[in-house]
Amino acid sequence: MSGIFFWKGWSFRERVILFGCFSGLLCLIIAVFVVDFNQVSWLYDWNVTAFLNKIPEEVYSKHSNLIESSVNTDVLVLLQKVHGTFSSLNSIYTVVWSLAVYFLLAVCVSVFTFLNRFWFIVCAGLLILLVTFSGVGNVALFGLSSQVIISSISIILISLAYYCHEVRTTVSFYRRLLLFCAVFFLIGTVIHVFSIHESALLEVAYQSYWLGIILSAVFSLYVGHEIVYAILVVSTGTASEGLSKGNGLHFIVFSLLYLLNVALVFMRNSNYIDWDIYYFNPYLLLGLSSVLGVWGLRDREGLYHRVMPFRPLALVVYLSMAVVTFGTILYLMIQSNDPALEAIEDAIVFGHIGMGGLFFIYILINFITLLLKGLPIYRVAFKEDNFPYATSKLAGVIVVAAFFFASNYAPFNQAVSGYFNTVADFNLTQGNRDAAKEYYRRGAIYGNILAQSNTNHRSNYMYAQLLEKDEQKMVWMESATKKNPTEQSYASLGVLYEQSSLFFDAVFTYQAGLEQFPDSWALNNNLGLLYERIQLSDSADYYLNQNTNAVFWQKDVLIANKLAFRALSPERKSQGMLQKSGRLDHQANWMANQVDRDSVDASMGLIEEMSLQLNIFSYAYLKNLGLVCAKNRTTDFLSVIDPFLEYSGNDAFRNELSVTKAMNLYATGDVSNAFVLMNDTFEKSSQALPDVKMLLGKWSMELNAPRLAARYFESAREYAYPLATADLAQAYAMIGQRSVAQYLVGKELNELDSSKTSLRSQLEVLVESLDKEPIVWNQNTEVFAQGEDLLKHAAEAQNKGLVEDATILYGRLGVNNPFFEKGVLQAAKFFNQKGNDKDRAYEILRQSIGVNEYSPELIMAYIDQCLSMGLISYAEGTVIRLIDVLDAEAYQRYELDFEARKSQVESELNSWD
């Protein structure tokens, strides 16, 4: 490599151009290495699918020492599974890359205007070929055919090139370059304005694919011998005759080792071998060759100086080709277009074997004697004797062609598949998914005579993503895992198997993926969730706690799933809690762990940030928040839930959240509103909710209203609620109807499956208890104690003359708990006498008998209130309700008394008239 610093003596402009191009080339080479090493992808992305796992939590179901039905509410646990998706690539990458390609084309056209007539004609023919491959003929300019468009553009370019070549021969290279750049700009403007296609220029940018592939393949072949030449320079560069005879042998040995490793790369790529050894990275080979080729081009100037000078024309073309080649590789990596990348890799490997191998033979044939003498033959390496350099190049092309045909045209097939991917990408940017799907399908099968998958990853993956049926998706996604697989392909295939209940196939798929990507957070996560689903908890914990490549939000998904696992298993809860963030999934699963704990502070900080439109994340958070607040008897949930219940878009979640709100109302002592909300929820729901009736029945029982409870239990029994008969029988027994209770349980026993021996024995015990001993049902003493305390404070305020305080306290007493009859009656009395507000007293009593429907004291008080206010028809309509709660004698006495009082009221009203 004589004259390493060959640019000394060049003009400032020439050095700026050289160093600018060379720096750009180095940056692109480094970028390619970084992207390839880290397997960075702008296309493949993750999509998280959340689903709910419900943990039944028993509520209000421990009242009787006999058999009792169970009412459960669901603690919601969020589990998140990951599958692959794709992101639409920003078209700016394609635009920038295509501009670079067309700039190179302008450079080449500008350069060939300096060549002699023979080479000018050759280059003009090549230009026509490149214009044909550019795809510019597909833009339907002025509605013309592609042949007319290609011919017109070719004539324009060749005419201008001829003008510069024959007429304006003194115009500098830079001005010619500016001229052709302007011409390309004008052609682009005409296409944009007059093409009948939308986004015609963007289509031209995507259609530049073939220009990039062809130029990259040509450059890869051209520099294929540079590493062998560099070995020659290094091994013989300091040689002198008689002193360094071993240097020639060094050249032979190192060259053979290098060529052998490149041959192994070819054999691995062709699936002939799969050895666990180090193979040369094709991009490393190309990068080294490209850099070394700058000096190699300088040393070969004697071979081509009659065609064009090294300074600056040959160097500008070379560096421009190198920049475009690595720009194309980087663009294809961004595009994740693996078949196109494989086509370029094949060109690199074929070129280094064919061109490099024939250059090695060329050196041996021409200089073997001088080489073995240890002479620095690199200085005369291109002054051939027996075997011309051009002949070695031609032989190298023949070797490359032999590899091409031996591979069954694989590079060409891969390049075509890559082209279909690019066209499909363009259609995706235009929103034409059907056309994109068809092009991906073509890319997935091209080269296979049976129209089956050719196993290139990009085409198969994208085609599977765009299909609708899972059965079809599985076929093509499985093909996507065969060659150059990604984490996303394995994750997507595993999820598809799970959705089809092919759990073992899913397990094997995830495990196969982990062999390829052992640090994959998504595959470890999905496999852990699958093992949890099939109840292999140890394996689930193992995979979910692996050290993975998760970053940012991915770590949060794993933490959320770990919190979910803790909630699903009592054994895991004992291991202590994990750290949580302010994410909804973390908070929802954290509270799922706290539902059965006492004195837990609910996290309310996320409410203000939440949208009123619920999703399963916010729904799970609110539901678990409600359960925690109900357990701790706090009003936090009640203070925030109403806007979500009122929002029209939350129908799917309204029933569960309404029941949870009712439980919070009941837990905080607002019994009346709890009953009203539960009944409204049942009436408005489009689906059967027998558990609502059961819960109302249990509340009624523990509030000492067994007759009301019997009505609710009877309604639940009509929906075949499990063991509703047991609770109903106990309610009937408590109101003195033991024969009915025994009949119901006996009927249940007769219809019971003989295999349920434990349940049968419990029901038999219940029958005996109904006949012998009183039924005991645990009461909600706390709510009555709250009523007594409120009544005490109201009376104290009244006695002290604190009218406003007494009004507030009696108001609460009158509406909170209609089953605390003493408090309701005292509140009505206060408003009738001291408060002078009969309307409020009336409303208190009306609401009370609307909830506590079978309380004789409240019904009689309401009738009295109606009579005192002259509402005789309301009073008459209510008297009949006493038939259900009084015995016949008591009802007859009351009816006579009522008629007397009604007559008195009527006479008083008539006297006013």
Side-chain angles (χ1 to χ4, degrees), residues 374-657:
L375 295 175
I377 63 165
Y378 72 93
R379 295 176 181 173
V380 295
F382 299 107
K383 297 177 182 179
E384 68 272 7
D385 186 10
N386 301 320
F387 185 26
Y389 178 76
T391 304
S392 71
K393 281 293 186 181
L394 180 60
V397 171
I398 294 173
V399 172
V400 169
F403 277 109
F404 175 77
F405 292 118
S407 63
N408 293 320
Y409 312 100
F412 175 75
N413 294 336
Q414 291 163 343
V416 174
S417 291
Y419 169 72
F420 285 135
N421 289 339
T422 302
V423 177
D425 290 345
F426 170 72
N427 280 279
L428 275 184
T429 65
Q430 304 303 300
N432 194 344
R433 291 176 67 92
D434 289 337
K437 181 165 67 174
E438 173 59 22
Y439 279 112
Y440 285 130
R441 186 192 69 83
R442 293 184 189 181
I445 66 174
Y446 192 84
N448 189 301
I449 60 175
L450 299 178
Q452 297 176 346
S453 173
N454 57 25
T455 70
N456 88 73
H457 181 267
R458 173 71 189 285
S459 303
N460 285 275
Y461 179 88
M462 293 299 294
Y463 183 51
Q465 289 286 354
L466 296 179
L467 288 170
E468 296 177 357
K469 296 182 179 180
D470 286 352
E471 298 81 8
Q472 295 176 338
K473 283 186 174 184
M474 279 189 287
V475 173
W476 295 97
M477 193 61 74
E478 183 179 5
S479 297
T481 64
K482 301 297 184 184
K483 190 176 182 183
N484 302 318
T486 57
E487 297 176 62
Q488 286 84 354
S489 60
Y490 280 114
S492 297
L493 181 59
V495 169
L496 288 169
Y497 281 138
E498 287 190 62
Q499 291 172 352
S500 300
S501 299
L502 300 172
F503 299 124
F504 287 107
D505 291 304
V507 169
F508 296 146
T509 297
Y510 292 139
Q511 289 176 340
L514 286 172
E515 290 180 4
Q516 295 275 344
F517 308 99
D519 297 331
S520 171
W521 74 277
L523 296 175
N524 278 288
N525 175 78
N526 285 9
L527 187 53
L529 292 182
L530 179 54
Y531 277 131
E532 181 68 20
R533 183 177 180 180
I534 58 180
Q535 299 181 350
L536 295 175
S537 298
D538 291 340
S539 296
D541 289 334
Y542 172 80
Y543 283 102
L544 204 61
N545 288 285
Q546 290 294 302
N547 292 322
T548 66
N549 57 3
V551 295
F552 306 118
W553 64 269
Q554 299 166 357
K555 292 182 178 179
D556 290 327
V557 170
L558 293 175
I559 292 174
N561 282 338
K562 291 176 185 178
L563 285 166
F565 276 21
R566 296 288 175 89
L568 291 170
S569 170
E571 293 77 14
R572 291 176 176 136
K573 285 186 181 181
S574 64
Q575 299 171 8
M577 288 304 298
L578 295 164
Q579 294 234 336
K580 65 185 189 306
S581 70
R583 286 168 52 109
L584 276 175
D585 50 357
H586 287 196
Q587 293 291 341
N589 288 345
W590 180 80
M591 283 188 289
N593 283 273
Q594 309 304 313
V595 170
D596 59 351
R597 302 189 182 204
D598 297 325
S599 302
V600 176
D601 293 329
S603 177
M604 305 291 295
L606 296 176
I607 298 293
E608 294 181 358
E609 303 173 7
M610 284 170 51
S611 168
L612 290 179
Q613 175 67 65
L614 295 177
N615 52 40
I616 64 171
F617 289 89
S618 49
Y619 164 58
Y621 168 75
L622 285 174
K623 176 67 185 298
N624 292 345
L625 172 66
L627 295 179
V628 170
C629 290
K631 180 70 180 296
N632 291 276
R633 301 180 186 277
T634 66
T635 59
D636 293 335
F637 180 76
L638 296 173
S639 66
V640 299
I641 189 58
D642 285 342
F644 298 99
L645 291 176
E646 294 166 1
Y647 188 75
S648 60
N650 293 332
D651 292 343
F653 311 112
R654 187 168 286 111
N655 286 344
E656 282 289 329
L657 291 179

Side-chain angles (χ1 to χ4, degrees), residues 43-296:
L43 174 77
Y44 304 118
D45 205 351
W46 294 112
N47 192 20
V48 176
T49 299
F51 57 95
L52 294 174
N53 203 331
K54 299 178 179 180
I55 306 174
E57 178 77 11
E58 194 174 60
V59 291
Y60 303 103
S61 301
K62 296 180 180 179
H63 303 92
S64 176
N65 55 1
L66 300 170
I67 186 173
E68 179 184 356
S69 68
S70 176
V71 175
N72 294 320
T73 188
D74 292 324
V75 179
L76 302 179
V77 175
L78 277 168
L79 294 170
Q80 298 175 72
K81 189 157 290 185
V82 190
H83 60 90
T85 184
F86 63 92
S87 299
S88 295
L89 294 176
N90 195 322
S91 297
I92 190 64
Y93 298 117
T94 303
V95 171
V96 171
W97 167 73
S98 65
L99 288 175
V101 171
Y102 278 100
F103 180 78
L104 169 62
L105 193 58
V107 169
C108 293
V109 175
S110 301
V111 167
F112 86 68
T113 60
F114 287 95
L115 307 183
N116 60 44
R117 179 163 297 182
F118 172 78
W119 288 109
F120 177 84
I121 295 173
V122 171
C123 291
L126 293 176
L127 176 61
I128 296 173
L129 185 65
L130 290 176
V131 171
T132 303
F133 278 107
S134 70
V136 72
N138 300 326
V139 298
L141 188 61
F142 300 111
L144 299 173
S145 66
S146 60
Q147 293 88 344
V148 174
I149 296 173
I150 292 171
S151 300
S152 301
I153 293 176
S154 299
I155 290 172
I156 292 172
L157 293 176
I158 293 174
S159 298
L160 285 173
Y162 182 80
Y163 176 76
C164 294
H165 183 266
E166 295 293 340
V167 180
R168 296 295 301 273
T169 57
T170 58
V171 176
S172 68
F173 166 75
Y174 304 106
R175 290 189 178 183
R176 298 187 190 197
L177 176 60
L178 184 62
L179 171 64
F180 285 104
C181 287
V183 170
F184 283 133
F185 175 78
L186 290 174
I187 292 173
T189 303
V190 171
I191 290 173
H192 175 69
V193 174
F194 297 104
S195 173
I196 64 175
H197 288 180
E198 293 184 8
S199 306
L201 276 182
L202 186 60
E203 183 178 359
V204 170
Y206 276 93
Q207 291 287 346
S208 303
Y209 169 86
W210 282 117
L211 290 179
I213 288 292
I214 292 171
L215 294 173
S216 299
V218 169
F219 181 78
S220 300
L221 297 177
Y222 178 76
V223 299
H225 71 284
E226 296 293 352
I227 293 180
V228 176
Y229 178 60
I231 294 173
L232 176 67
V233 173
V234 172
S235 60
T236 66
T238 59
S240 59
E241 186 174 4
L243 297 178
S244 305
K245 293 183 178 180
N247 289 342
L249 185 60
H250 294 162
F251 163 73
I252 295 173
V253 171
F254 288 123
S255 296
L256 287 175
L257 288 175
Y258 153 73
L259 292 171
L260 176 61
N261 199 294
V262 177
L264 291 176
V265 173
F266 165 74
M267 295 174 70
R268 181 201 61 182
N269 292 346
S270 301
N271 296 320
Y272 294 133
I273 61 172
D274 188 20
W275 298 345
D276 187 16
I277 60 174
Y278 173 76
Y279 299 92
F280 284 148
N281 184 313
Y283 305 124
L284 174 63
L285 294 177
L286 184 62
L288 285 174
S289 300
S290 302
V291 173
L292 296 171
V294 174
W295 285 267

Side-chain angles (χ1 to χ4, degrees), residues 697 700-701 703-711 713 730-732 734-735:
S700 300
M701 287 287 278
L703 292 170
N704 198 26
R707 193 180 298 275
L708 180 62
R711 198 189 75 186
F713 289 146
Q730 293 177 72
Y732 275 130
M734 291 178 71
I735 60 176

